[in-house]
Amino acid sequence: MSLLIKHGTVVTATDLYQGDVFIERDTITALGTALAMPADRVIDATGRYVIPGGIDCHTHLDMPFGGTTSADDFESGTVAAAFGGTTSIVDFAIQYKGQTLHHAWETWMKKAEGKAAIDYGFHMIITDLDAAVEDEMDALVRQGVTSFKLFMAYPGVFMQDDATIFRAMLRTGGNGGTICMHAENGGVIDVLVKRALAEGKTAPKYHALTRPARAEAEATHRAIALAEMADVPVYIVHLSAAEALEMVTEARDRGLPAYAETCPQYLFLSYDNYEEPGFEGAKYVMSPPLRPRATQDRLWRGLASNDLQAISTDHCPFCMKEQKTLGRDDFSKIPNGAPGIETRMSLVYDGGVRTGRISLNRWVELTSTSPAKIFGLFPRKGTIAPGSDADIVIFNPDAKTTLSAATLHMKVDYNPYEGREVTGVSETVISRGQVIVENGVFTGRAGAGEFVKRQSRS
Ligand code: URP
Ligand code: ZN
Ligand code: ZN
């Protein structure tokens, strides 16, 4: 099977040209300005951008959390991702106390196998570190699970103390992996939550008011300092606060391998959403929380200046009905997380490129190339080049769509951006040479996605 995409504007992190892309089976085999080879199928991409498929390196599909399970499994979540122009995800497998890392990996592989419609990898969440688990970390890196997520928040669930974090970092520094960090001071937050509840403050907005920006900044600083002492790259996940960004900027100015992502929710939503009437604020209960509106500009500047290197989604959807309502009388029981896997590429194009905050190349870099490089997928993924997987999105920069839970494909009963019109739509989506979304229809197959063995640093 061969496919020729003609007359599009090819955009990578570094290139922008009118050109054609030739695909044989699952691989890009030629690029040119006027390719004339015969192909089984020709797609005319006139007036469209031809970009590498989006890579979302922070998703939580089928994840037990907060007394329930995230609403999208690997089928619905990856089909929604495909509609939104994302062709690879890196999800989080969880080692629960007493379990081996390999058991956790196998568990998450079983969740994905036969269901995922796009390619996937895993970060490993470590909650129980002993000598045997440390040995397993090395084995996992060799097997292509090359990043470990640690938590400085959620005491009693995921949170680890500094000594454990440091041991995991030392091991990762030696085995060529990367540390992902949820950076919020969980001890401080716990005290503030208990005090708020004792004062009868139970509404969703207290989720945000008990998670100060300084608690994120302190943990970000600590995570980077621990990583510096352990000599390991650290990637701060879901950075939301300007104060935390300052910590990353300072570290990068000193030349440290400190990286950070932010997410669309922190660029387009704000604390004001928690003030929506009734229980509506629960839609936005996530950690870290939404910040004051003024933070958005600071994050956009960080994205433009490369103090932030990636935009992922932290897709962790819970329905308002029956899931978010677990915390109707107590904000601390509202499952943390929100949907976003489907809306990332359009939101960032509309709110970033069209407004002039970031360039077209930077859009591709932040949503595909840079995550691919940081997490060992590049150059197989994250670019359009001969030899790369044919993961390609044909993006219509002029098409408009109105975001709504009723028309999006995520299995969740609300959308945080309900009613927002965006310009720029992923029209045709190709995963390893197969057209999986076309004319608004999913043409792929659940189970066609494959586990991707990621590379380590060494
Ligand atoms: O609120 C969030 N972010 N839920 C998902 C779990 C996490 O901390 O990433
Ligand atoms: Zn987190
Ligand atoms: Zn997350």
Side-chain angles (χ1 to χ4, degrees), residues 58-60 63 65 92 125 149 151 154 182 237-238 261 287 313-316 336:
H58 189 152
T59 66
H60 300 279
M63 180 178 86
F65 191 47
F92 289 87
I125 292 176
K149 185 179 181 187
F151 287 79
Y154 304 129
H182 179 129
V237 298
H238 48 42
E261 64 178 19
S287 296
T313 64
D314 193 12
H315 177 78
C316 191
N336 284 205

Side-chain angles (χ1 to χ4, degrees), residues 312-327:
S312 67
T313 64
D314 193 12
H315 177 78
C316 191
F318 297 104
C319 290
M320 281 296 277
K321 196 166 165 257
E322 286 170 13
Q323 293 192 298
K324 291 284 187 180
T325 43
L326 290 169

Side-chain angles (χ1 to χ4, degrees), residues 25-104:
R25 292 174 299 282
D26 54 6
T27 305
I28 298 166
T29 54
L31 304 173
T33 48
L35 296 181
M37 56 273 275
D40 296 318
R41 181 170 174 195
V42 178
I43 297 179
D44 181 1
T46 304
R48 311 290 192 265
Y49 294 130
V50 179
I51 60 171
I55 298 175
D56 189 347
C57 58
H58 189 152
T59 66
H60 300 279
L61 300 177
D62 199 0
M63 180 178 86
F65 191 47
T68 182
T69 299
S70 58
D72 274 312
D73 65 9
F74 275 82
E75 181 167 344
S76 64
T78 56
V79 169
F83 272 108
T86 287
T87 54
S88 302
I89 58 168
V90 189
D91 200 85
F92 289 87
I94 305 176
Q95 174 220 21
Y96 294 104
K97 295 225 179 302
Q99 288 180 352
T100 66
L101 299 184
H102 280 86
H103 177 81

